[in-house]
Amino acid sequence: MGLNYTKRQWIILAVMGLSDFFNAICVSLQAPFFPKEAENKGASATEYGLVFGIFELVVCLASPFYGQFLNRIGPKAMFQGGVFTTGTSAILFGLLDRVPGHDAFITLAFVIRIIEALGNAAFLTASFTIIATEFPNSIGTSFATLETLFGCGLIVGPMIGGALYSFGGYYLPFVVLGSALFTCAIMTLLVLPDHGTERSNSENKHSIFEVMKIPGIIVCCLGIGATSASIGFISATLEPHLRQFNMSAIWLGVMFVINGGVYALTAPIVGYLVDKYKKPKIISIFGSLFIMAGFALIGPVSFLPFDTSLTFVICGLICHGIGIAMSLVSTFSDALRTAVQNGFQDGIETYGLISGLWTSIFALGAFIGPSVAGYLFDHSGFRNSVYFILVTHTVVVFIFVLFTCCSSSPRKSYKEISSEEKLIGKSNASLDDIHSKNGSICSSTTNMAIPYMNNNMVIASSYGKSHHWQRMEEANLGLLADRDDNYGSFEIEVHRDSDQTIA
C-alpha cells in the first residue's frame, strides 16, 4: 500500500509525521518533573492532576466544533494554526517556574494548558482530514503511520523532557522542543497543499449531530472511547501497581514504554489489513478482545488463580498494545466509510466531521479512564478495579458482534468502478441536465475527460489523483451498469429527444 505513494504523498506524510511526533512530545514531556515543580509552589496532587486532566477535557469539547467548521477554515490553515499554538504554549509553559506564588502559578498553568489543548485539537482534527483527502485509497495505512509517530512521541516525550530537565532545568525542555515544533510548522507552510475551503449548500450541509444519528458511527464511538479509557486507566494505575516489585526508575519507565511501543509497531500492519480486507468492525472486535486479555493478565484479574508477576504484566501490556492498534486504526476508517455510505459527501466537510468526532471521543475516554481508575484503585485495588475495563469491552464486543450480524449494508449512493469494468447506461437527460443535477458527472475528487463525441455516444475516462477509477453517482444519473472485462473505460449512452441538443 505505502510503496505506491507518489513523491508528493511521501513528502506530505513525512512532514506531517514529524509534526505529529514533536506535537506529542510537547504534550507529554512535562510528566516526570511538573508535579515536583507544582509541589514546590504549594500545589496539591489534586490541583496539578487537574492541570493534566483539563487538557483532554478541552480537546473533547473543542474537536467537534473544529470538525464542523473545518471546511470553511481549510485543513491547511487549521493544521498550521494548531501547530503554532501548541508550540507557543509549550514555550510559555516553560516560564511557569518564574511565576511567584501558588495562585498565580496554578491559574496560569490552567490557562496555558487550555490554550495548548485548543491548538492540539485543531492540529489533530486537521491532520486526520488531510490524510483522508490526500490518501483516499490507503486511509487506514496512512492514518496508522501518523498514529505510530504520534505514539512514539508520547513514549519518548517524558524521557526526553526528563533528560533535558536534568541537564538545564525547567525551562530547557520546553524551549527546545517547542522550537522544534515551530520548525515543523514552517515546513508544513512550505510543503502542505492548500485544499481550499468549501461553502456547503445549506440543503446539503451536515452537522455533528446528524453524524451521531448513524448507528454504525455510534458503535465506532463506543470502541474509540473504551480503548482510550483503557489507555488512561493504565497511565494512572500502573505505577502504584508495580511498586510491589521495588523497580528502579529506569525499569519502571521501560514498563510504560511496552504497550506504546507495541502499538507503534503494529499500527501500520493493522492499517494495511483494514485497507486490504475492508473489515474494520471485525478488527475492532479482536482489538477489544486483546485489551480484555491484557488487563486480565496485568492484574491478574481476581478470578484467575495466579499472583501478580512481572511476566504476566509484560504479556498483558503487549496484548494491550496490540488491542489499542486494532481498535483505534479500524474505528477511524470504519466511521469515515460509514458516513459516506449513509449519504454524506465524500469530501472535506465529512472528513472534518469524522476527524473532530474521533478526536473528541478519544479525549473523552482519556479523561474518564484515569478518573475512574483512581477512584476504583483507592477503594478496591488494581486486581478488582480492572473489572471496569473488562466489563466495558465486553459490552463493546457484544454490540459490535450484534451490529455486524444484524445490520444490512446501507444502499450506496455510488457504484465502485474498477479498472476492468465497463459502464453502459441509458439516460433521458441531456448533459446540461446531468451537470445541473450533479454539478459534475464524477465526484469532487475525480476529473472527467471526454476525448470525443460520436452522435449519441460519449466515451469517458474518469481518473482520480492516483489514476484509480473513482466513483460515479449512479443514483442521480440513472445509469445502468453492465460488466465487460475487455475494456478499461466505460461508455455512457445518452439518448436525446428530437428537440434536445447536446452542446
Side-chain angles (χ1 to χ4, degrees), residues 226-404:
T227 302
S228 62
S230 73
I231 298 172
F233 191 102
I234 283 292
S235 299
T237 58
L238 183 61
E239 188 274 330
H241 179 56
L242 295 178
R243 288 175 187 171
Q244 58 188 297
F245 300 110
N246 297 317
M247 303 174 69
S248 66
I250 295 177
W251 282 108
L252 189 61
V254 171
M255 297 298 292
F256 274 93
V257 169
I258 292 175
N259 60 344
V262 172
Y263 165 68
L265 292 174
T266 55
I269 301 173
V270 175
Y272 173 79
L273 294 176
V274 170
D275 286 334
K276 182 176 181 179
Y277 295 107
K278 313 294 184 183
K279 300 291 185 181
K281 284 189 171 61
I282 301 299
I283 295 177
S284 296
I285 291 171
F286 280 100
S288 289
L289 292 176
F290 267 101
I291 292 173
M292 292 168 63
F295 272 81
L297 291 174
I298 294 171
V301 69
S302 59
F303 62 75
L304 293 178
F306 309 113
D307 294 328
T308 304
S309 71
L310 278 178
T311 302
F312 284 139
V313 172
I314 292 172
C315 291
L317 289 172
I318 291 173
C319 289
H320 186 224
I322 296 173
I324 293 171
M326 298 183 79
S327 296
L328 294 186
V329 175
S330 61
T331 49
F332 179 75
S333 297
D334 191 11
L336 189 57
R337 289 183 183 134
T338 301
V340 174
Q341 288 176 345
N342 281 271
F344 282 68
Q345 180 186 3
D346 190 0
I348 290 177
E349 180 182 2
T350 301
Y351 301 160
L353 288 173
I354 298 301
S355 299
L357 179 63
W358 192 98
T359 306
S360 177
I361 297 300
F362 183 90
L364 179 61
F367 177 73
I368 293 175
S371 302
V372 175
Y375 176 83
L376 292 178
F377 184 85
D378 287 338
H379 289 79
S380 58
F382 189 89
R383 296 191 63 172
N384 289 319
S385 64
V386 297
Y387 279 108
F388 169 70
I389 298 298
L390 295 179
V391 172
T392 300
H393 279 273
T394 299
V395 173
V396 169
V397 169
F398 175 77
I399 292 175
F400 266 91
V401 171
L402 188 65
F403 185 87
T404 302

Side-chain angles (χ1 to χ4, degrees), residues 2 16 22 30 64 86 107 148 150 157 199 220 277-278 289 297 329 381 450:
M16 292 184 64
F22 283 108
Q30 63 268 39
T86 304
T107 300
T148 296
F150 191 83
R199 292 289 182 179
C220 290
Y277 295 107
K278 313 294 184 183
L289 292 176
L297 291 174
V329 175
I450 304 181

Side-chain angles (χ1 to χ4, degrees), residues 210-228:
E210 293 179 67
V211 174
M212 291 296 294
K213 292 179 181 178
I214 301 175
I217 292 182
I218 295 177
V219 172
C220 290
C221 290
L222 292 175
I224 297 166
T227 302
S228 62

